Amino acid sequence: MPVDTDIRMIKVAIVDDKQANRISLSEKLTEHKGISVILTAKNGEDFLIKMKESKELPDVVLMDIDMPVMNGIQAVNTASGLYPSTNFLMLTVFDDEEKIFEAIKCGAIGYLLKDDTIESIVDSIRQIIEFGGSPMSPRIARKALQLLMNSRIEKVEKEKSVLSDREMDILNGLVAGMNFKAIAEKLYISPNTVRTHITNIYKKMHVQSKTQAVMIAVKNKWF
Amino acid sequence: MLHENLNIRSYLYLTLIHLSVLLLCMPAFVSAQQLSYKTYTVNEGLAQNTVWDVCVDFKGFLWIGTADGINRFDGDRMHLYASQGTGTSFMRADVLYRFHEDKRKQFWVVSNLGLGYYNRSFDSFSTVYISRQFCSFIGEDDKGRIWIADGDTKILIIDALTKKIVRSIPIQPKLSASTGSIQNSISLPGHFVTTLNDKVILVIDKKTERPDFIYSEEGNGSCIGYINDSTLTSFLKGMRYVYHLRQNRIVTERRVMKNFTHIPSFSSYQYSRGELYASSIFGLYILDKESLEVKRAIFNFSDSIASEFSYIQTLKVAPDGIFFMAYNGAGLKIYSPYSNKFKHYHTSTQRGNMVKSICRTADGKVITGLWGSGLTIYDSVGKYKFLSLGRKNEINSVFAIRNWDKQHVLFTHGNELVWFNHVSGQVLKRIKLQGKAYFPFPQFEQNAGQLLVNYDSSGYGIIAGIDFDKGMTNVVRLKAPNVRCFKWIDSQTCWIGGSNALLRYNVASKKTDTFLRDHIIKCILLSSENRLLIGTTRGLCEINREGKLLHQWTLKDGLINDLIYGILEDKNKALWMSHNKGISRLNLSNNKIQNFGVQDGLQSNEFNTGAFYKDEEGLLYFGGINGFNIVDPEHIPEDNKPIPVSINQININDLPYITDSSCNELRQLNLNYGQNTLSFNFAALEFCRPEACKYRYKLEGYDKQWIESATIHFARYANIAPGNYTFKILACNPDGYWAINPKELNIYIKAPFWQTLSFRLAILFLGLLLVILVINALVNRQKLKAKRQLAIQIELEAERLRISRDLHDNVGAHLSYLINNIDWMKEHPNTLKEYEKSEKLKLLGEAGRNALHTLRQTIWAFSQSAISVDDFADRFKQFALKMLELNESVQVDFEEQLTINNQLNPSQALNLFRIAQEAFNNSLKHSGCSRIEVLFLSTQDCLFQLRIRDNGKGFVPEQYKDSDSYGLQNMLSRAQETGAHLLIDSEIGKGTSITINITK
């Protein structure tokens, strides 16, 4: 594999309550060039504290959902408000899409299963850095469609979160079980454009209010 | 205090002028006894002042027949019964009503026009017979038949029950026509006797029923009187007729009545209580039965007073001595001994009636000292004359008078003491008292054989002995002015009543002690039992010799009034006190107090200080502002008859209750709910002293006790609850006797339908029913719940079993394969070649990932209570997409037809998912297809349908039915378990279609 010095190192943080998972994932990721694990934490609160102390901020945070003290969803909700430049990917054993969807609304931009191959994990991380988002399952797409079509978000927010026609087409394609390629072919656009659109859709789904979360963080001196 | 023997200058003050004045002021005696009557005239509601007959019926009502109709008096109001309209009625008469209450208590009325009777329950009169002539009442015979005379032509006998004429007897021969003069009838054991007019007396033998006549051309009076069962009398112009009724003839006897030649005739006779009373234009007399001479006059008039109006047309005397007198033009007068308990004497002028002092002389004269007008002297038969003492205003007042000896009285006159000979009418001597010209409170008192008097001398109260020759002796001079009364109780002690306290004066020490401060002392009495009793403005006080107050009787103890003017003790040791609200009697042995007022014959309710006297016979004299009364304590007539009460009006909700019958006859009052404010007007049937009746009433069922309403005869009850009540009234007669049997009226107020028993029972029943139903429903629900619980439990159990079997069959299989292989590799580290190892490890990783996938599906399905078809579809799409990543040559088309997003239960979803997975994998791996179509269907009729169709090579399903290849067997058994219908449609070369169907 040619060494590409231009490729900037992707800084990754891992939040998982199981030490074994943290170590094995950390080791596997470190093996790949261009990815460095700069922070591991055992739960949401530990993560927030460590983020405060950290000299550099991670680009991507791999966040477990079910954790003691503070779960991944709460951690994402708070941290996405405090660190807008950081991307949060949920990492879970079970694809409980209700929780995943909740995490997405709180600021996550995708999810991975823990048993996914390290290649697919790394691929997802890179895609996030490149396009800003990860693939979206039909279920999440359907929920996103429901949320963004029928949302009762405030007017100001609405302008930001209203779906474009193209985004709508893409979401409908995803719901219909089409992959990026098929969608791209159907819409006469490149698969990468599809990915960019999906990233935008993710961002529009970030509707959970951050204000309160940030206030709690400040109060607890996590920021 | 000073005690001095003042040298009072006394002098004889006898002049001719004085004497002449005294003699000039002695007119002839005129009658002075005043009788008290109750009078009913048009002012009291009578229809007319000409009254023909009067009667008290057995119910107690007073009936008055007037020239303008019949009145019934109920104690409160005069009801008038008069003929109205043009119909023929006996009541159209204007003369002569005669009342008769028969044996059956039916009330008959005969008028000059005919006969009628009173219908008590309807309170109206019915006509029985109309006459063209002049009807007269004859009587009621032993068979209860009513006899009347129709003019002088026939006699009619009427059956009292049927009100039919049962016999008509013609009168033969015809006599001169009747006139409308006074007539009366007497029923004797053997005869009816009726005066038809002033010349004809009709006599009917009751046995033979044959009429006979006593006829006299010159007249024999229009009124007959009863002497005994066979003797009657009549009177005309000084001639007395006596009729002896024998078996077959009538003997008439005539006597001349010398004393009564001026009387034209006696208008009415009444035989009662063994006395024969007769009335005439000149008054009312009691006749001697033998001589028929006047024994005494109840009252009589002088020629000047006698007139047509004082003419008594009918006299009735009740057994208790009450006289009912129906006058020709003066209404009805009732005389009652109970309202004349005390003899009352007064003069015809106001000046002679302000009695300030009184005494009775040895020869039976009563002399009253007057305020400003000298004396009035009443002789023993009650006639009086004035004795003006020749001065004016207060200095002509006589404030104290006392017998001096048999012929003389001593009295105060201004500031003089006067000895007066009441036999000769001459003043014997005058002594001037030093002091004011006018002192209103002198009193004479006896002490140690000497008469003493008190008066006022320039600010000092003087008590001095009176000596006819020497004038005033033994003067006690007190610093206290206004000595009002005094009493020596022994030679050393004198009790003195002042204007604001009682003083005790000790002769030896000359000291006074003060008691009863703030009491105005009016009189002091030392009783026969040596009790010291003080009459004050604050009741009667008894004190001991030390001045300690032993007892005080006031209004609270039953005295009529706290102001006591005078106290006298009668023979029975009862105290009689005069007040300014009547007279009271106190029995000291039991503290019982009885009060008397003007209704009992008192001169008025106001008496005077110092005007009280007790004579040697024990008669008590009390003077007031309208003459004086004599109390004979031994003979106080007392009415002890209970009086009935009548209910005269009933108001329902403040409107008069209208009924066919009279209110008083009602026994039961039935009212609706809402007619619950009741008021009653009632009255005692007492006609002489109605204002002195008291009442108590009670609404049984509402009032717990009797309500004492005093003289108020009205009761009102508001908002009475439905139910049964009895309204009871008791009256107390003016002498304090309460009736024992109350007047009663039952009242029933109907409950509204929602308060009736039947309605309540119905409601109770319905309520019970409802309760039972509710309990039943609850029990059923409980049962259902338990049943459901059980079902859920069973369901849960099944679910648990399914989960465990699923884990065992799927996850467990993968994991055990994984473990077995790892174990084998560990035990045989060198058996496999390097590439084989890597192949093997890849397989093992696959197995682990499969275990995790399977577990993930299990968790997906069982973590939700239900899985919607779209969720199922999305998950399947996710799975399919993942599979396609490895087979990029195959194109998959998904189609959703979800008209209704139905729900699957977890095990259904899981089984279907596994079937679909199997089918999809078969198509992908074995059919060699290029295209797979997946259809999800969820509609009204179809719970869920999943169809996976490929365009691969196809197969013959029957060939694989029994083998385990392609998991067909597995798919079928899963479908069976889920209750789904699995259709495998495949043909070689034509692709395969697998449809899973679950109906509702």
Side-chain angles (χ1 to χ4, degrees), chain B residues 130-416:
Chain B
I130 295 290
S131 164
R132 293 214 186 105
Q133 303 183 52
F134 198 97
C135 245
S136 314
F137 176 70
I138 296 171
E140 178 190 1
D141 65 17
D142 302 336
K143 296 169 189 163
R145 299 179 302 178
I146 306 296
W147 292 56
I148 58 169
D150 185 4
D152 50 9
T153 56
K154 58 188 173 192
I155 294 158
L156 299 169
I157 307 172
I158 291 106
D159 185 89
L161 271 185
T162 60
K163 318 283 191 299
K164 293 267 163 60
I165 298 166
V166 291
R167 206 174 152 206
S168 174
I169 306 167
I171 296 174
Q172 293 288 346
K174 268 194 166 254
L175 301 162
S176 59
S178 290
T179 57
S181 63
I182 290 293
Q183 63 89 236
N184 74 335
S185 52
I186 291 172
S187 184
L188 298 172
H191 299 86
F192 290 122
V193 184
T194 304
T195 51
L196 290 185
N197 56 46
D198 58 354
K199 285 174 182 158
V200 183
I201 300 172
L202 171 66
V203 181
I204 300 165
D205 188 310
K206 282 185 178 174
K207 261 187 195 159
T208 61
E209 300 190 348
R210 219 177 48 213
D212 201 349
F213 302 96
I214 303 166
Y215 182 76
S216 161
E217 193 53 53
E218 69 270 25
N220 45 21
S222 59
C223 189
I224 45 168
Y226 171 93
I227 296 172
N228 60 45
D229 283 354
S230 62
T231 313
L232 301 169
T233 182
S234 73
F235 177 89
L236 188 72
K237 291 172 188 157
M239 190 66 78
R240 159 91 31 219
Y241 300 85
V242 180
Y243 311 104
H244 301 281
L245 305 181
R246 304 274 149 73
Q247 199 64 37
N248 293 315
R249 63 204 173 88
I250 301 156
V251 179
T252 309
E253 194 187 315
R254 296 181 191 198
R255 285 182 206 170
V256 179
M257 311 280 285
K258 285 171 203 154
N259 292 346
F260 288 92
T261 48
H262 64 291
I263 296 176
S265 70
F266 282 126
S267 58
S268 180
Y269 294 93
Q270 176 79 33
Y271 189 82
S272 176
R273 306 200 300 175
E275 303 263 37
L276 180 62
Y277 299 88
S279 65
S280 83
I281 198 164
F282 290 103
L284 183 57
Y285 312 95
I286 298 174
L287 303 183
D288 183 89
K289 272 188 287 178
E290 294 305 314
S291 66
L292 297 176
E293 286 291 339
V294 170
K295 258 170 39 181
R296 67 187 164 92
I298 306 284
F299 59 89
N300 55 10
F301 306 117
S302 64
D303 292 346
S304 59
I305 297 170
S307 73
E308 273 293 306
F309 300 123
S310 61
Y311 182 60
I312 298 172
Q313 305 204 113
T314 301
L315 167 71
K316 292 211 173 164
V317 184
D320 54 359
I322 294 174
F323 287 65
F324 294 91
M325 292 165 282
Y327 277 78
N328 189 30
L332 173 71
K333 283 190 176 186
I334 307 172
Y335 166 86
S336 162
Y338 309 125
S339 47
N340 289 280
K341 290 189 173 74
F342 312 106
K343 277 184 183 161
H344 173 204
Y345 291 90
H346 76 156
T347 67
S348 57
T349 54
Q350 190 58 41
R351 68 187 170 102
N353 288 337
M354 182 60 86
V355 177
K356 284 297 196 176
S357 57
I358 186 166
C359 80
R360 182 175 175 268
T361 64
D363 59 356
K365 288 200 281 280
V366 177
I367 304 176
T368 58
L370 307 171
W371 189 91
S373 302
L375 304 170
T376 312
I377 302 169
Y378 297 81
D379 71 5
S380 53
V381 294
K383 294 185 174 181
Y384 71 88
K385 60 184 176 185
F386 286 121
L387 194 63
S388 170
L389 297 174
R391 293 184 186 170
K392 278 184 178 172
N393 297 334
E394 64 263 33
I395 56 162
N396 197 30
S397 303
V398 175
F399 288 112
I401 188 162
R402 178 63 82 118
N403 283 319
W404 180 256
D405 58 27
K406 278 195 173 177
Q407 293 194 354
H408 294 92
V409 288
L410 174 66
F411 58 82
T412 64
H413 186 223
N415 60 351
E416 290 176 344

Side-chain angles (χ1 to χ4, degrees), chain B residues 788-806:
Chain B
R788 230 179 266 155
Q789 204 85 40
L790 196 68
I792 288 167
Q793 215 127 37
I794 291 167
E795 184 71 17
L796 275 176
E797 187 66 16
E799 199 79 351
R800 200 172 61 79
L801 277 173
R802 273 195 290 272
I803 294 167
S804 63
R805 206 178 62 207
D806 187 80

Side-chain angles (χ1 to χ4, degrees), chain B residues 580-591:
Chain B
N580 68 350
K581 210 182 172 184
I583 279 180
S584 60
R585 175 169 62 185
L586 166 64
N587 190 334
L588 279 176
S589 59
N590 58 8
N591 274 335

Side-chain angles (χ1 to χ4, degrees), chain B residues 876-929:
Chain B
F876 190 77
K877 284 179 240 165
Q878 176 88 342
F879 157 78
L881 285 172
K882 201 134 201 170
M883 295 307 290
L884 286 176
E885 283 174 15
L886 308 168
N887 287 286
E888 292 196 337
S889 59
V890 179
Q891 190 196 335
V892 182
D893 284 330
F894 296 99
E895 191 187 349
E896 286 180 2
Q897 287 180 14
L898 311 177
T899 54
I900 287 178
N901 196 3
N902 284 324
Q903 305 246 305
L904 301 168
N905 71 39
S907 57
Q908 271 178 337
L910 194 60
N911 277 324
L912 293 178
F913 199 88
R914 297 247 160 88
I915 296 169
Q917 229 176 342
E918 194 83 53
F920 191 82
N921 275 335
N922 285 346
S923 293
L924 205 62
K925 288 176 184 165
H926 309 297
S927 72
C929 66

Side-chain angles (χ1 to χ4, degrees), chain A residues 92-95 97 111 113-117 137-139 142 146 175-179 181, chain B residues 849 852-853 855-856 859-860 868 870-871 873-875 877-878 881-882 888 892 894 896 898:
Chain A
T92 174
V93 183
F94 299 108
D95 50 352
E97 278 159 313
Y111 76 98
L113 292 174
K114 286 188 182 171
D115 63 320
D116 281 344
T117 55
S137 77
R139 187 82 197 142
R142 195 193 291 273
Q146 281 165 2
V175 172
M178 295 163 89
N179 57 21
K181 208 177 121 190
Chain B
R849 210 158 269 129
L852 190 61
H853 279 160
L855 185 62
R856 207 171 268 150
I859 286 167
W860 161 72
S868 58
D870 67 349
D871 190 0
D874 289 346
R875 191 160 189 93
K877 284 179 240 165
Q878 176 88 342
L881 285 172
K882 201 134 201 170
E888 292 196 337
V892 182
F894 296 99
E896 286 180 2
L898 311 177

